[in-house]
């Protein structure tokens, strides 16, 4: 049975600490993604715009990003005290009950927007408590599913649009169950699929076995991935970055 999304059940056992970051400059058509851990990625654009996803008080990159996106479902997905030096702190929920958050931000060579989804709580369903954030950088569309709790409606899939790189939670319990998440992945049909939000290698393996016939599996030794539109793989690929 899926667990309600409240409290600290999603809390990590330990902070992985600041991630190692290569100093290699990016070409104007490249994007760097670094898996910090849990559901947090550091995304870097050619012009140096940095985004930290599901920014929280437990796992951070060690950088002060230009943009921090957050989701409400658990304290490991948002921060009570975001660094005041962050230029844009974007919450995936609205302070007005049952009202979706709305973000459509263009800064430098990055455009960011969101699609609201609901979350489970001990009290029932909280309308629009989560957001899927979509980042458009260097001709690539990167979607972060956040703490997704339910299948996507056709209008949500349409609003997300083309996805080149999908960051997908694969725990199968605190977020959407495994069959449901696999169905979401197939509907969005990304060229690159990167799993996140898993708590042990067996959970990750269970997801990989469900999609490996459609996404060629590649395991990386380092948490960093540099991608450009012209170098996207010819066949869909699932890339495992070290972390949890």
């Amino acid at each position: 049975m899926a667990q309600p999304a409240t409290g600290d059940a999603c809390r990590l056992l330990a902070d992985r600490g600041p991630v190692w970051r290569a100093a290699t400059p990016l070409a104007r058509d490249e994007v760097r993604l670094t898996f910090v851990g849990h559901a947090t990625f550091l995304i870097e654009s050619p012009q140096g715009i940095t985004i930290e996803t599901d920014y929280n008080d437990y796992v951070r990159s060690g950088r002060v990003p230009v943009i921090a996106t957050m989701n409400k479902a658990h304290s490991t997905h948002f921060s009570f005290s975001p660094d005041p030096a962050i230029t844009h702190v974007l919450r995936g929920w609205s302070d007005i009950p049952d009202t979706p958050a709305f973000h459509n931000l263009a800064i430098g060579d990055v455009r960011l927007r969101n699609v609201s989804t609901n979350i489970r709580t001990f009290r029932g369903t909280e309308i629009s408590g989560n957001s899927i954030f979509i980042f458009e950088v260097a001709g690539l569309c990167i979607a972060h599913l956040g703490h997704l709790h339910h299948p996507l409606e056709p209008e949500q899939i349409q609003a997300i649009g083309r996805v080149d790189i999908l960051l997908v939670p694969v725990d199968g319990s605190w977020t959407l169950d495994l069959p449901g998440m696999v169905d979401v992945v197939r509907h969005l049909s990304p060229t690159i699929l990167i799993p996140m939000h898993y708590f042990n290698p067996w959970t990750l393996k269970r997801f990989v076995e469900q999609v490996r016939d459609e996404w060629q599996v590649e395991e990386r030794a380092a948490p960093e991935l540099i991608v450009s539109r012209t170098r996207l793989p010819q066949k869909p690929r699932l890339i495992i970055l070290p972390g949890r």
Side-chain angles (χ1 to χ4, degrees), residues 14-242:
D15 188 339
R16 292 178 63 231
V19 299
W20 173 83
R21 175 183 178 271
T24 308
L26 295 169
R28 63 181 182 181
D29 65 340
E30 291 179 332
V31 178
R32 179 186 287 119
L33 292 92
T34 303
F35 185 32
V36 181
H38 202 52
T40 300
F41 288 80
L42 182 68
I43 302 172
E44 299 173 76
S45 81
Q47 292 183 13
I49 303 299
T50 51
I51 306 158
E52 196 155 325
T53 67
D54 280 27
Y55 181 92
N56 63 85
D57 292 323
Y58 305 98
V59 177
R60 293 185 181 178
S61 68
R63 299 277 304 277
V64 177
V66 176
I67 303 168
T69 63
M70 301 193 299
N71 276 296
K72 189 179 182 181
H74 287 280
S75 58
T76 48
H77 297 261
F78 69 93
S79 174
F80 294 105
S81 53
D83 193 309
I86 299 172
T87 307
H88 301 279
V89 176
L90 306 182
R91 295 170 176 83
W93 69 95
S94 168
D95 291 332
I96 304 173
D98 300 335
T99 302
F102 176 78
H103 300 292
N104 192 343
L105 172 69
I107 177 169
D109 55 350
V110 171
R111 182 190 172 209
L112 180 155
R113 55 193 174 85
N114 73 305
V115 174
S116 288
T117 65
N118 304 332
I119 57 174
R120 301 180 305 269
T121 72
F122 285 118
R123 297 179 298 278
T125 299
E126 180 176 339
I127 304 298
S128 300
N130 176 73
S131 276
I132 295 168
F133 283 95
I134 302 100
F135 312 98
E136 300 177 17
V137 189
L140 292 166
C141 294
I142 305 167
H144 186 291
L145 292 182
H147 215 277
L148 182 64
H149 288 184
H150 58 77
L152 296 178
E153 299 293 336
E155 57 269 25
Q156 292 172 316
I157 294 172
Q158 183 177 8
I160 293 168
R162 188 193 85 226
V163 177
D164 298 306
I165 302 171
L166 183 65
L167 312 176
V168 56
V170 301
D171 60 284
S173 57
W174 295 102
T175 59
L176 181 59
D177 61 45
L178 183 61
M181 196 65 76
V182 169
D183 190 56
V184 166
V185 167
R186 286 174 175 152
H187 275 101
L188 294 176
S189 190
T191 303
I192 294 177
L193 181 61
I194 302 178
M196 63 175 182
H197 202 267
Y198 52 89
F199 303 99
N200 56 65
W202 301 280
T203 302
L204 173 62
K205 181 180 179 181
R206 184 180 61 170
F207 174 80
V208 170
E209 291 302 318
Q210 292 292 313
V211 300
R212 69 181 315 134
D213 289 342
E214 298 157 83
W215 281 268
Q216 180 181 341
V217 179
E218 176 186 345
E219 191 161 358
R220 295 288 183 100
E224 174 187 289
L225 178 68
I226 296 178
V227 190
S228 71
R229 178 144 203 85
T230 57
R231 297 201 304 270
L232 285 172
Q234 294 295 312
K235 296 182 178 180
R237 188 171 300 177
L238 184 152
I239 299 178
I240 300 170
L241 300 177

